[in-house]
Amino acid sequence: STKLMKLKMKMKMKTASTRATSSSDASSSAAAAKDEEDDCVLATKCARMANFVYKGGGVESWMADDGLQTKARGVTGATGWCVCDDVERNARFIVVRGAAWSQPDTDRNKLSWQIAKIWPQALRKDRKTPVVCHQGVYEMVEEFWRDLVPWLSDETFDGTYYFTGHSLGGSMGLVVAARARELGLEEARVGGVYTFGAPPVLAYDRLAGNGPGSSIDDEPEVGMDEILRLVGFTRGASLVKQYVLAKDVIPRMWLSADPVFVAATKTDFIGGLLDWRRETFGEGMFTKNRFLYESIGDLYWLEYADGEQGKPTLSRYGGDDVLTKLRMNLDDITQSPLTAWQTIGDHNSQAYVDALQFLTIRRVINPSKR
């Protein structure tokens, strides 16, 4: 009788434990799904802002329609920027515009020249941090940096900062975030960097990182996580969420995944030259594994399946999978005029808005389609 009672007690405890575990798993799953939904909503909001900054003089009204207060905005000959507050979220968004060739405030010659300045320069003026940046992008940020500083060091605002932009605007947003950390903005107050179709503009400076007296054999393996840690973000690559439409070629610029670079490496002369450079100087810039810069951040891959136009899917990739996913051969672009045209369409800022809005609405209306 006593043994039977003990056995029944054990069975009850095991059942209760199983139920508790199941309940805990269900709660964790629900929480993860809620976080995913919230992140998709935030990404959509950022994509809309990154699109609004192309609207010229009507930026404030577009932002206001999304519940945002425009605190400051400005333009240079090469770009435009604005600072917007979401009072409900207690969040401040730093939004930078990409290349707007048709805008009346754009100096096309200046913008072309800045983009052409692809050679890297030190990200920080003290040169103690072994991270380099695309020179032209750095100079574009430098031009509006002084106007932006008061909004990054504003003592009346105690909320979270987000940095966002489309195309080169996203690239500049990442540089602004890195410089904001250097300025003294606490990492805990940086909610993230959201980019849409942005080309890479940061890399590890192998020569500076090795230091005097070191050899190529001492060269460390430095990826996106370490680059972000070097500029002050201990959480690494998860800080940056880079959204890329599958046929958008611009995010491949200055990467070893650049289709033009891939095609060049297949020639005997260029391929042999790059192999020789790697054997002589070690892995680094202008080798088959690295063209100029590193893709920074987790990749959020937006893709339309064949015959499913208007129904995008979203997949997340990290680490080495990012570059693998971004690889595109020149044949993928030149196989037909329609394909070539689609690569242009996929880079349009509105294309990112459309894809993310569809996903957000679907997740709200039909949660089973997450």
Side-chain angles (χ1 to χ4, degrees):
S1 174
T2 305
K3 287 183 179 180
L4 183 60
M5 288 179 64
K6 287 182 177 179
L7 182 60
K8 286 182 178 180
M9 286 293 293
K10 283 184 179 180
M11 290 178 67
K12 285 182 180 179
M13 290 174 65
K14 186 175 181 180
T15 301
S17 176
T18 301
R19 286 174 179 169
T21 301
S22 299
S23 176
S24 176
D25 290 344
S27 298
S28 298
S29 179
K34 183 66 169 63
D35 289 344
E36 187 179 300
E37 182 178 305
D38 289 346
D39 197 57
C40 193
V41 170
L42 183 55
T44 303
K45 194 177 188 75
C46 287
R48 288 172 63 83
M49 284 185 273
N51 184 41
F52 292 158
V53 288
Y54 287 99
K55 303 293 186 184
V59 171
E60 289 91 342
S61 62
W62 284 95
M63 295 294 187
D65 286 344
D66 273 18
L68 298 160
Q69 298 177 1
T70 302
K71 309 297 287 187
R73 64 181 293 258
V75 293
T76 68
T79 188
W81 59 275
C82 66
V83 178
C84 296
D85 282 0
D86 184 333
V87 177
E88 188 176 333
R89 283 181 180 268
N90 194 24
R92 174 162 292 175
F93 295 87
I94 311 299
V95 193
V96 189
R97 188 180 76 191
W101 300 100
S102 61
Q103 286 286 356
D105 56 50
T106 297
D107 181 335
R108 294 187 182 184
N109 290 331
K110 180 178 181 179
L111 178 55
S112 298
W113 180 239
Q114 293 299 97
I115 293 173
K117 289 183 177 181
I118 64 172
W119 202 251
Q121 73 163 60
L123 178 64
R124 293 186 173 171
K125 293 180 179 179
D126 62 10
R127 296 183 177 274
K128 293 179 180 179
T129 303
V131 176
V132 290
C133 178
H134 180 293
Q135 182 183 351
V137 169
Y138 181 90
E139 291 176 356
M140 289 165 74
V141 170
E142 183 70 15
E143 198 166 357
F144 63 81
W145 178 248
R146 288 186 180 180
D147 294 326
L148 194 57
V149 166
W151 301 100
L152 294 169
S153 54
D154 180 5
E155 294 183 358
T156 66
F157 175 72
D158 62 359
T160 304
Y161 285 85
Y162 294 91
F163 302 84
T164 190
H166 164 260
S167 192
L168 281 174
S171 307
M172 285 185 272
L174 176 56
V175 174
V176 169
R179 295 193 63 178
R181 281 290 290 129
E182 184 182 13
L183 183 69
L185 181 63
E186 297 174 12
E187 181 182 3
R189 296 187 62 198
V190 179
V193 179
Y194 287 76
T195 71
F196 307 93
V201 293
L202 297 182
Y204 176 71
D205 186 350
R206 181 176 55 86
L207 297 178
N210 283 342
S214 60
S215 69
I216 292 300
D217 294 334
D218 299 326
E219 179 187 326
E221 290 291 331
V222 176
M224 62 176 79
D225 276 313
E226 186 59 25
I227 290 170
L228 284 171
R229 291 188 186 107
L230 285 168
V231 298
F233 294 105
T234 58
R235 76 188 92 164
S238 63
L239 169 83
V240 182
K241 295 173 171 58
Q242 48 172 335
Y243 287 80
V244 174
L245 277 160
K247 289 184 169 57
D248 187 350
V249 296
I250 300 302
R252 281 98 168 173
M253 287 173 63
W254 311 314
L255 280 177
S256 62
D258 187 319
V260 177
F261 180 75
V262 171
T265 61
K266 291 179 179 178
T267 66
D268 291 339
F269 176 72
I270 299 296
L273 185 63
L274 293 177
D275 285 338
W276 170 83
R277 194 184 193 289
R278 184 183 186 284
E279 290 169 5
T280 306
F281 298 105
E283 193 62 77
M285 193 185 305
F286 289 130
T287 61
K288 286 183 178 178
N289 292 327
R290 178 176 151 198
F291 181 8
L292 281 173
Y293 301 103
E294 302 283 357
S295 182
I296 304 288
D298 288 343
L299 175 64
Y300 289 76
W301 186 253
L302 293 159
E303 187 168 19
Y304 292 93
D306 292 339
E308 293 288 331
Q309 190 63 30
K311 293 183 179 180
T313 59
L314 177 63
S315 305
R316 179 180 175 180
Y317 299 90
D320 295 338
D321 292 335
V322 172
L323 191 60
T324 300
K325 197 64 184 174
L326 285 171
R327 292 197 188 283
M328 176 186 280
N329 291 319
L330 200 58
D331 292 344
D332 295 337
I333 303 171
T334 58
Q335 61 182 346
S336 72
L338 181 62
T339 304
W341 179 252
Q342 190 170 1
T343 64
I344 298 172
D346 266 15
H347 185 62
N348 188 287
S349 64
Q350 186 62 48
Y352 283 92
V353 172
D354 292 344
L356 283 164
Q357 283 185 163
F358 174 87
L359 290 168
T360 298
I361 292 170
R362 186 175 67 179
R363 290 178 187 215
V364 171
I365 293 175
N366 186 4
S368 66
K369 286 284 190 179
R370 292 183 188 281

